[in-house]
Amino acid sequence: MTHRTFLRGAAVIALVASSYLAPQSAGAVQVTAFQQAVAENVSTDDQIAAFYRNRGFDPIWTGDTDADLERRTALLEVLSMAKYHGLPVAKYNAEALLSRMASVRSGFDRGSLEVSLTKLYLDYARDLQTGVIDTPRNVRSEIVREIPLRDTSYYLDGLLSDTPRAFLGSLAPQSQEYARLMKAKMRLEYTIAHGGWDAQVPAGKYEPGDTKASVVALRDRLIAMGYLQRTVTARYDTSITDAVRAFQQDHGLTVDGVAGGVTIDEINTSPQDRLKSVIVAMERERWINQPDGLGERHILVNLTDFNARIFDHGKLTFETRSVVGHQDRDRQTPEFSDVMDHMVINPSWYVPRSIIVGEYLPKLRNNPGAVSHLDIIDSRGRVVGRGQSFAEYSERSFPFSMRQRPGPRNALGSVKFMFPNKHNIYLHDTPAKNLFSREVRTYSHGCVRLNDPHDFAYALLARQTDDPVGFFQSRLRSGAEARVNLEQPVPVHLIYRTAFTTAKGQTQYRRDVYGRDADVWNALSAAGVEIAGIRS
């Protein structure tokens, strides 16, 4: 039986694993050799060493019991499934592992193999559960997410406390999103294996009624992508218009049925590039694979999609458009999770230091009366008069803060939603309502602006008052700044997904507005993740 044959089924795996690790004699010298090998190989990892010491150096993989056989068989099975999760397959080379099993001739060899299996298992389990990249901020400094890493004891004790297959099966994210992304990955791999989506569409603008020859290329591409039923039309008719509209909807574009430059660029994006987006999205889903999930109620802000959503028990219950940070690196909205615990109605805006010295101080140097809608505040909280000159101050020496009082022109609008964090990021209203009609909405200094902040507030308050509208409006009409605590704090997740799915399973794609997914993909590729069997 060859190693390749082994990978074809669980029954063959069990047979081969059993024959490769047939029990040897249990003499005292051999046991000592096994213990010596284990001790030597775990000397650099205190947690693994403690695990084996606590069990008297009994093996969990290489023993002759049915439990050992079941564990190593289950491990070999899941390693062969790594490709379905977009993991670095070569890192968990099952065939090489089988060859090593076949070469075991002594207790020392067995002990060395025992520890190698444990380390391989831990690598795979962590990659599958919380991501191949365990420190995303090393890829991009704006990804400040805390990865929910588990201790070594979680994986080793868990493997022994449950049936191996059940525990190993629980490691991947259990979210519906992850399951749907896996299906999207398999569909794209099938498409790539069968030639892709036909020829690309020539650049240009295509409108209803057009009969130019390149309309046929557009038609064929839409058919191949599943947006258009087979047809022989050479005219940009209603069916093509509807297909383009559906495509635009799925890709976050202006839905007008006209295939202009941006739409054609998106249509011409290769299935290989879409597959990269899906694999990166699966990795990002692992980064937020919290032990208790995202929260019974939680807020999800997808920075590439420019929307903020509230989910209750996994179902979307509220949605509004958002504006996020500008593409400049110092203004991009970071990725992280925190907990919203209050809102402020009629908020004051305390200007961030970076804006004060970068935007307002140069104006104040030239004209002390500039930006008069802002109060200049000293260290004791007193308003500083504008009769003095600010020309002497530098970015470092400027000793004042700045504040905008509540009112219709306030930069935060009528309400802000707080999840206190060291990044000084929050959700808020804005007087600049015109920006919400834009296709790409990257205009803020980093915070997230909401198109429907009052409705957002009502949705949050509905759990703690019978009249959320009246409650909110009465405080708004007072004109006074008012803090309102949330009786049930709500987890907030600022995520970045250029590929995500709907509840019906449709895959949506968005542009990589901050270029982060490209960097994440490069890091995954460097770690050994492949596209359609070809490293890129």
Side-chain angles (χ1 to χ4, degrees):
M1 181 178 296
T2 66
H3 295 167
R4 193 172 304 279
T5 304
F6 158 84
L7 295 174
R8 293 176 184 168
V12 178
I13 288 174
L15 176 62
V16 175
S18 177
S19 63
Y20 279 2
L21 290 173
Q24 300 179 12
S25 61
V29 174
Q30 194 168 40
V31 170
T32 300
F34 175 88
Q35 292 175 336
Q36 179 183 352
V38 172
E40 288 182 6
N41 283 277
V42 301
S43 61
T44 59
D45 193 308
D46 292 342
Q47 292 190 64
I48 299 179
F51 172 78
Y52 278 104
R53 280 198 305 271
N54 291 339
R55 57 184 287 107
F57 288 91
D58 284 346
I60 62 173
W61 309 105
T62 60
D64 58 3
T65 68
D66 289 343
D68 287 74
L69 174 60
E70 184 181 8
R71 280 190 287 270
R72 64 181 177 257
T73 300
L75 176 62
L76 290 166
E77 287 176 357
V78 296
L79 294 182
S80 70
M81 302 289 287
K83 62 183 179 181
Y84 298 111
H85 294 278
L87 297 176
V89 174
K91 185 177 179 181
Y92 331 107
N93 191 331
E95 293 192 12
L97 187 59
L98 286 170
S99 295
R100 187 171 175 186
M101 287 180 178
S103 69
V104 169
R105 294 293 181 268
S106 68
F108 193 90
D109 290 345
R110 186 179 292 271
S112 298
L113 176 63
E114 171 74 24
V115 177
S116 293
L117 285 168
T118 295
K119 291 181 176 179
L120 180 62
Y121 158 64
L122 290 172
D123 279 347
Y124 177 81
R126 287 166 177 152
D127 289 352
L128 178 61
Q129 187 166 55
T130 54
V132 176
I133 302 169
D134 57 11
T135 312
R137 70 184 64 194
N138 290 343
V139 177
R140 282 289 290 265
S141 60
E142 303 88 1
I143 309 176
V144 292
R145 180 168 305 288
E146 296 295 330
I147 306 302
L149 300 173
R150 276 65 155 180
D151 290 335
T152 296
S153 59
Y154 167 85
Y155 295 109
L156 294 175
D157 294 343
L159 186 69
L160 300 182
S161 65
D162 199 349
T163 60
R165 285 182 179 83
F167 184 74
L168 291 169
S170 72
L171 295 177
Q174 301 299 299
S175 66
Q176 290 298 313
E177 176 69 4
Y178 190 81
R180 293 192 293 256
L181 286 170
M182 284 189 70
K183 291 180 181 178
K185 176 179 177 294
M186 289 187 284
R187 288 195 296 267
L188 285 166
E189 288 170 337
Y190 179 88
T191 295
I192 292 168
H194 290 78
W197 288 324
D198 289 342
Q200 291 193 337
V201 183
K205 184 177 183 180
Y206 299 78
E207 299 180 277
D210 284 350
T211 56
K212 52 191 175 185
S214 51
V215 168
V216 173
L218 174 61
R219 176 202 69 190
D220 291 345
R221 185 87 172 180
L222 291 169
I223 291 172
M225 298 175 78
Y227 284 96
L228 183 64
Q229 296 293 322
R230 289 202 171 276
T231 176
V232 296
T233 183
R235 180 175 177 274
Y236 199 123
D237 60 10
T238 301
S239 65
I240 293 180
T241 302
D242 290 344
V244 168
R245 289 175 64 86
F247 179 90
Q248 291 169 331
Q249 183 71 47
D250 286 347
H251 292 75
L253 307 174
T254 300
V255 181
D256 58 9
V258 175
V262 174
T263 297
I264 293 300
D265 285 345
E266 293 298 307
I267 287 175
N268 282 336
T269 299
S270 70
Q272 287 84 354
D273 284 338
R274 296 302 187 198
L275 180 55
K276 290 178 185 179
S277 294
V278 169
I279 291 175
V280 169
M282 293 172 68
E283 172 75 359
R284 289 180 174 278
E285 188 73 4
R286 292 189 281 264
W287 293 350
I288 60 172
N289 186 20
Q290 303 282 353
D292 298 322
L294 298 182
E296 171 195 333
R297 159 172 274 201
H298 64 268
I299 296 165
L300 205 62
V301 180
N302 186 359
L303 304 181
T304 69
D305 184 40
F306 313 114
N307 276 280
R309 299 176 172 92
I310 298 176
F311 289 85
D312 289 289
H313 303 285
K315 295 186 180 299
L316 176 64
T317 55
F318 181 83
E319 180 176 10
T320 183
R321 292 186 173 199
S322 66
V323 167
V324 302
H326 193 270
Q327 287 101 325
D328 291 346
R329 290 289 291 267
D330 62 342
R331 293 173 59 185
Q332 293 182 9
T333 304
E335 298 168 56
F336 66 99
S337 296
D338 218 299
V339 179
M340 182 181 295
D341 60 10
H342 73 279
M343 68 180 73
V344 179
I345 303 171
N346 296 317
S348 296
W349 179 45
Y350 294 89
V351 185
R353 180 75 181 177
S354 61
I355 299 177
I356 291 175
V357 299
E359 297 184 24
Y360 295 152
L361 179 56
K363 297 178 181 179
L364 290 171
R365 288 197 193 108
N366 293 327
N367 175 16
V371 292
S372 59
H373 63 291
L374 300 174
D375 291 334
I376 301 174
I377 309 296
D378 68 14
S379 60
R380 298 174 63 182
R382 298 173 301 188
V383 176
V384 175
R386 298 297 189 107
Q388 63 174 293
S389 171
F390 298 100
E392 65 185 276
Y393 295 114
S394 68
E395 292 184 3
R396 287 190 175 185
S397 65
F398 189 70
F400 307 115
S401 59
M402 301 182 76
R403 175 190 66 198
Q404 185 181 22
R405 296 180 182 181
R409 295 180 57 200
N410 188 282
L412 304 184
S414 58
V415 60
K416 65 178 180 178
F417 304 90
M418 302 299 293
F419 40 106
N421 58 83
K422 62 184 178 182
H423 315 293
N424 198 29
I425 298 296
Y426 44 88
L427 278 56
H428 65 87
D429 184 16
T430 176
K433 300 296 186 184
N434 61 305
L435 298 178
F436 292 104
S437 63
R438 307 286 180 88
E439 187 175 275
V440 175
R441 298 190 286 277
T442 51
Y443 296 101
S444 81
H445 284 86
C447 287
V448 178
R449 306 174 187 175
L450 302 180
N451 187 40
D452 302 298
H454 290 190
D455 290 334
F456 189 81
Y458 305 155
L460 293 174
L461 293 171
R463 286 200 167 188
Q464 60 193 65
T465 175
D466 293 334
D467 183 15
V469 176
F471 179 93
F472 181 90
Q473 288 295 329
S474 66
R475 282 152 184 78
L476 182 65
R477 287 192 297 269
S478 74
E481 188 166 337
R483 171 176 172 141
V484 178
N485 291 332
L486 297 181
E487 294 177 3
Q488 296 179 350
V490 182
V492 179
H493 307 283
L494 303 183
I495 65 171
Y496 188 97
R497 302 287 177 86
T498 61
F500 59 97
T501 69
T502 66
K504 294 182 179 180
Q506 182 71 30
T507 307
Q508 303 268 306
Y509 296 100
R510 298 294 183 266
R511 282 162 281 184
D512 189 8
V513 291
Y514 291 158
R516 292 181 193 169
D517 263 23
D519 288 341
V520 172
W521 167 253
N522 289 337
L524 289 174
S525 182
V529 176
E530 300 181 0
I531 288 292
I534 301 173
R535 291 285 292 278
S536 62

